[in-house]
């Protein structure tokens, strides 16, 4: 009887640890989905809610001299989304989520395709860095690549 009770306790502890890890990954994925849902809806309040106050945004652009890192800001991003014409639909489609978590830090690698009014625009990969603050996960850094092809990272 004691062995069954001990085994039950060990299995419960093991599976609860797995569930906690999955829950954190799901929270990170949900936050990223909220960013792109907000972008599709042009809801700047929803978008702003996923970022920390001092978040950094960068993109890698290719030039004749090689890769160039361009800096942006969350306020500029919010302004661009908020001033997009009502009849323009922006749709960033995440193809996969690769999420790693260590305590309050998470990283997410998300290949994507971007469409404007249903037409393919570009593709690439987002790399998110997130921190779990008292109020929950927030994006503190995002950098992405953008290209027309090939779209299979």
């Amino acid at each position: 009887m004691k062995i069954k009770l001990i085994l039950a306790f060990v299995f419960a502890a093991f599976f609860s640890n797995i569930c906690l890890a999955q829950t954190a990954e799901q929270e990170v994925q949900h936050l990223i989905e909220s960013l792109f849902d907000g972008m599709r809806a042009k809801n700047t309040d929803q978008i702003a809610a996923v970022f920390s106050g001092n978040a950094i945004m960068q993109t890698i652009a290719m030039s004749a001299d090689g890769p160039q890192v361009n800096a942006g800001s969350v306020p500029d991003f919010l302004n661009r989304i908020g001033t997009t014409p009502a009849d323009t639909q922006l749709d960033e489609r995440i193809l996969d989520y690769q999420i790693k978590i260590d305590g309050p830090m998470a990283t997410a690698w998300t290949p994507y395709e971007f469409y404007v009014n249903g037409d393919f625009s570009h593709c690439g990969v987002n790399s998110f860095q997130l921190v779990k603050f008292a109020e929950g996960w927030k994006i503190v850094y995002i950098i992405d690549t953008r290209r027309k092809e090939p779209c299979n990272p």
Side-chain angles (χ1 to χ4, degrees), residues 8-84:
F9 178 74
V10 168
F11 284 128
F14 177 74
F15 286 114
S16 68
N17 285 339
I18 290 174
C19 290
L20 289 176
Q22 291 173 345
T23 300
E25 288 175 353
Q26 290 169 347
E27 289 173 0
V28 167
Q29 182 171 333
H30 177 73
L31 184 86
I32 294 169
E33 289 170 347
S34 181
L35 165 63
F36 295 116
D37 288 345
M39 193 172 74
R40 279 186 282 280
K42 299 184 186 107
N43 182 335
T44 56
D45 290 335
Q46 181 176 348
I47 296 167
V50 305
F51 288 98
S52 70
N54 58 352
I56 297 168
M57 300 183 82
Q58 295 181 317
T59 190
I60 300 171
M62 293 305 293
S63 72
D65 297 328
Q68 306 266 329
V69 179
N70 299 319
S73 72
V74 174
D76 288 344
F77 179 64
L78 295 172
N79 184 56
R80 281 195 316 274
I81 298 301
T83 58
T84 299

Side-chain angles (χ1 to χ4, degrees), residues 2-12:
K2 280 186 176 182
I3 291 178
K4 287 182 182 179
L5 185 58
I6 291 170
L7 286 174
F9 178 74
V10 168
F11 284 128

Side-chain angles (χ1 to χ4, degrees), residues 63-132:
S63 72
D65 297 328
Q68 306 266 329
V69 179
N70 299 319
S73 72
V74 174
D76 288 344
F77 179 64
L78 295 172
N79 184 56
R80 281 195 316 274
I81 298 301
T83 58
T84 299
D87 62 344
T88 301
Q89 296 300 310
L90 307 174
D91 185 14
E92 185 153 335
R93 300 176 189 173
I94 302 300
L95 306 175
D96 187 30
Y97 286 88
Q98 298 170 28
I99 299 170
K100 302 290 184 189
I101 297 174
D102 183 37
M105 182 181 73
T107 185
W109 182 267
T110 61
Y112 72 90
E113 293 176 343
F114 193 84
Y115 294 82
V116 177
N117 294 331
D119 295 324
F120 175 79
S121 172
H122 61 276
C123 58
V125 172
N126 300 307
S127 175
F128 293 94
Q129 298 299 309
L130 304 96
V131 174
K132 188 169 188 179

